[in-house]
Amino acid sequence: MPTSPHTPESVFTYAAPRLKFGPGAVTEIGHDVAGLGARSALVVTDPGLAATGHPERVAKALRTAGLRVDVHDSAAVEPSDVSLAAAVERAKGAAPFDAVVAVGGGSSIDTAKAVSLLLTNPGELMDYVNAPVGGGRAPEQSVLPLVAVPTTTGTGAESTTVCVLDVLASQVKTGISHERLRPVLAVVDPELTATQPAGVTASAGMDILCHALESWTARPYTSYEHKTPEQRVPYCGSNPISDLYAEKAMRLLAGAFRGAVAGEEQARADMALAATFAGMGFGNAGVHVPHANAYPIAGRVHDLGSDFRPRDYDVDEAMVPHGMAVASTAPAAFAMTFAANPQRHLTAAAWLDPQGLDADVSEPERLSAVLRRLMRDIGQPSGLAEIGYGDADVDGIVSGTMQQQRLLATAPREVTEEDVAGVVRASMHHW
């Protein structure tokens, strides 16, 4: 556990977007966006998703409600400082907009967050990226209202205040984090996930699971020093409300994850709900070590010379999807954090393994065993070595992880470079 505070925090905060959930929910989006007072909307999506027809379906519903609509397929599969800046410039070159509608996975939603921020605030993208990578500047003006329509079951980006991106020159993933980036409305229609391939469901699903696990095991809000109002940030530590959402997400995942990867319709709907619940949990409690590790793991793969290509992702160069990157060190990370709160780790293992298949594993390794069994069942890589990493890459990953102090501050124990190096080495081979 981090050092005990002199004056413990006694206040926690909670926020979430309005939510509309269920099959057919997207057909009502014209009414919803018009209800925000908008007369024009920019729909942000990516080229692959544009081919499915979902973005145009959303645009048609908006036009039927009387809105002027432009559709931009400007989101990259894994957003970078370069792709986000290009999306912003494209949006600035179009007519003014009253609202932004994101249609897609976390990449589209995060791109839309950057667009809504920089259409209304001065400066450049890197001014707002979290320090020490960027300037850490806070928005001075309100952003355009953002409505998020997720088409993948994973990121929870429709619930959160974070825009994640690769900073290419630094070979690291980081983000922009501010409460104004949270969408005002999440429209979650499970029917839109029907086109999501098995490999994407598996990777994005691991992101859901780690969101829930990391917020559940995050240091409690009472372990921080008491903050003044202006010091409060969206990630406040585990708290009674985030705990409820994290638990519900894990219980849903236990019954739905494998079935969703296999294409079962009800399981897909349960995964969509789990993604939203997990987002509502971690979007307030925070995430920690697995996500901090994921940023350099995804960011540095481009320079490995690796021939790794994730299943069901249409890419022509090495790429580690965000959920896969997060999961890649999760078993070892939770073994490392176990001693900080054994009961929370054991409770999570029991929720995720209701049949007790790993109940005979030693307590410090039980949650790790549950995760490895799941990862193997859904076809995740057998470890960082399969992606292309080796011992020579450990120091680089550690360096990138230690830049993610905003996330590591949420860990249930102090995390050193030696801790991270041990987790990375233990993650080279899961089985």
Side-chain angles (χ1 to χ4, degrees):
M1 178 68 69
T3 305
S4 297
H6 294 293
T7 306
E9 182 60 88
S10 59
V11 175
F12 71 88
T13 57
Y14 183 81
R18 290 167 46 209
L19 172 65
K20 180 170 283 189
F21 181 94
V26 76
T27 63
E28 302 178 8
I29 196 168
H31 169 84
D32 296 329
V33 176
L36 298 173
R39 296 185 178 183
S40 61
L42 171 63
V43 175
V44 176
T45 190
D46 68 71
L49 192 66
T52 69
H54 293 325
E56 188 53 44
R57 179 183 174 192
V58 168
K60 181 178 179 181
L62 294 169
R63 293 183 181 116
T64 299
L67 280 79
R68 178 180 57 79
V69 182
D70 280 7
V71 179
H72 287 187
D73 58 350
S74 52
V77 173
E78 292 287 329
S80 69
D81 52 336
V82 174
S83 75
L84 291 181
V88 168
E89 288 307 307
R90 181 177 178 185
K92 286 181 176 179
F97 300 103
D98 301 321
V100 179
V101 179
V103 183
S107 298
S108 293
I109 298 172
D110 286 352
T111 299
K113 288 176 181 177
V115 168
S116 69
L117 169 67
L118 287 165
L119 284 182
T120 56
N121 281 270
E124 304 295 329
L125 178 76
M126 290 302 296
D127 294 338
Y128 296 92
V129 169
N130 295 327
V133 179
R137 181 176 179 176
E140 299 170 7
Q141 307 293 331
S142 296
V143 304
L144 290 179
L146 171 60
V147 175
V149 184
T151 59
T152 61
T153 50
T155 68
E158 70 275 9
S159 301
T160 72
T161 62
V162 180
C163 164
V164 177
L165 66 147
D166 275 314
V167 179
L168 297 180
S170 302
Q171 298 181 322
V172 69
K173 267 188 184 289
T174 182
I176 303 171
S177 178
H178 194 275
E179 60 184 356
R180 286 182 175 172
L181 295 188
R182 194 188 308 272
V184 299
L185 171 66
V187 179
V188 184
D189 188 334
E191 291 180 347
L192 300 186
T193 70
T195 57
Q196 182 173 273
V200 178
T201 300
S203 176
M206 289 306 303
D207 199 20
I208 304 173
L209 178 51
C210 289
H211 285 157
L213 272 173
E214 289 172 60
S215 63
W216 172 252
T217 56
R219 58 185 290 190
Y221 75 97
T222 52
S223 70
Y224 291 88
E225 291 288 347
H226 199 284
K227 298 179 179 66
T228 59
E230 65 274 11
Q231 292 174 325
R232 300 201 183 280
V233 294
Y235 281 10
C236 67
S238 62
N239 61 76
I241 297 179
S242 65
D243 284 352
L244 291 173
Y245 283 116
E247 175 183 351
K248 185 61 177 177
M250 282 187 273
R251 290 185 182 274
L252 282 168
L253 287 166
F257 201 159
R258 291 171 174 84
V261 174
E264 297 173 12
E265 183 175 353
Q266 183 56 51
R268 282 202 305 266
D270 287 347
M271 286 286 282
L273 193 56
T276 299
F277 284 166
M280 291 177 172
F282 94 87
N284 292 274
V287 289
H288 52 84
V289 179
H291 269 76
N293 291 338
Y295 288 168
I297 287 169
R300 300 178 70 86
V301 73
H302 309 292
D303 298 312
L304 290 178
S306 171
D307 60 1
F308 178 78
R309 303 292 184 272
R311 179 168 60 109
D312 293 330
Y313 284 82
D314 185 16
V315 293
D316 54 11
E317 62 180 0
M319 188 268 279
V320 187
H322 176 63
M324 184 181 291
V326 173
S328 65
T329 64
F334 287 113
M336 186 265 288
T337 60
F338 174 83
N341 195 328
Q343 191 53 56
R344 287 231 163 190
H345 289 68
L346 293 173
T347 298
W351 287 336
L352 294 169
D353 180 25
Q355 296 178 315
L357 298 179
D358 291 302
D360 59 344
V361 176
S362 67
E363 290 187 348
E365 293 289 336
R366 191 171 301 164
L367 179 56
S368 303
V370 172
L371 292 176
R372 289 189 179 99
R373 181 188 296 272
L374 173 62
M375 290 164 64
R376 191 167 189 171
D377 287 350
I378 62 173
Q380 291 293 283
S382 59
L384 291 174
E386 184 177 334
I387 294 170
Y389 286 103
D391 289 342
D393 303 303
V394 172
D395 289 348
I397 295 173
V398 171
S399 176
T401 296
M402 297 308 293
Q403 292 185 58
Q404 312 301 324
Q405 290 300 316
R406 181 181 64 89
L407 306 186
L408 295 178
T410 313
R413 52 162 284 184
E414 298 287 351
V415 179
T416 67
E417 291 187 3
E418 292 73 19
D419 293 327
V420 176
V423 167
V424 173
R425 289 191 180 97
S427 301
M428 289 294 171
H429 302 280
H430 294 307
W431 53 81

